[in-house]
């Protein structure tokens, strides 16, 4: 879910859609693991579990929609919030640096 290059010697590290069957199988295994993991004292899913399941569903559906539009793969690192968090980090730095002047 954090791929940065189109192809890699490890199939699961290639763009999502390059080795689609293997990649979907890995996501389905993770889906089953999350759905079949129970935490003592908890009745429902924890927020991180909901996030994992939502991410799995979203990336599979996004890949299908993009494939229908002619795209062959997704670099999933571009679909996460890291780039947005980096921008906010820079803004916070500039804001604090300005106060020190």
């Amino acid at each position: 879910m954090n791929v940065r290059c189109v192809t890699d010697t490890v199939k699961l590290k290639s763009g999502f859609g390059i080795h689609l069957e293997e990649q979907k199988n890995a996501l389905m295994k993770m889906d089953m693991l999350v759905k079949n993991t129970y935490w003592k004292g908890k009745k429902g899913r924890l927020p991180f579990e909901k996030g994992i399941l939502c991410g799995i569903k979203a990336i599979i559906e996004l890949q299908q929609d993009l494939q229908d539009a002619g795209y062959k793969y997704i670099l999933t690192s571009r679909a996460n919030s890291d780039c947005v968090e980096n921008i906010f980090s820079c803004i916070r730095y500039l804001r604090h640096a300005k106060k020190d002047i």
Side-chain angles (χ1 to χ4, degrees):
M1 296 289 284
N2 201 23
V3 172
R4 296 184 185 278
C5 58
V6 177
T7 58
D8 195 281
T9 54
V10 178
K11 290 181 179 182
L12 296 179
K13 290 184 177 183
S14 296
F16 187 68
I18 299 294
H19 302 285
L20 190 57
E21 289 307 310
E22 293 93 336
Q23 292 165 326
K24 276 187 175 180
N25 286 337
L27 289 176
M28 290 300 99
K29 285 181 183 179
M30 185 64 180
D31 184 87
M32 291 300 294
L33 176 67
V34 171
K35 286 179 178 175
N36 292 304
T37 299
Y38 300 96
W39 302 94
K40 187 175 180 179
K42 300 290 179 184
K43 293 183 181 180
R45 297 211 194 290
L46 296 172
F48 79 92
E49 293 172 306
K50 291 177 185 177
I52 290 170
L53 295 174
C54 182
I56 291 170
K57 183 178 178 184
I59 200 66
I60 289 172
E61 290 180 11
L62 177 62
Q63 187 279 330
Q64 184 61 54
D65 288 346
L66 291 175
Q67 184 180 27
D68 293 346
Y71 294 90
K72 296 180 181 180
Y73 60 87
I74 301 170
L75 297 180
T76 53
S77 66
R78 296 182 182 178
N80 67 28
S81 62
D82 288 348
C83 56
V84 176
E85 290 172 13
N86 287 341
I87 290 170
F88 287 134
S89 177
C90 290
I91 292 170
R92 279 192 301 274
Y93 171 78
L94 292 173
R95 188 170 165 212
H96 290 295
K98 197 173 188 180
K99 286 181 180 180
D100 293 338
I101 295 177

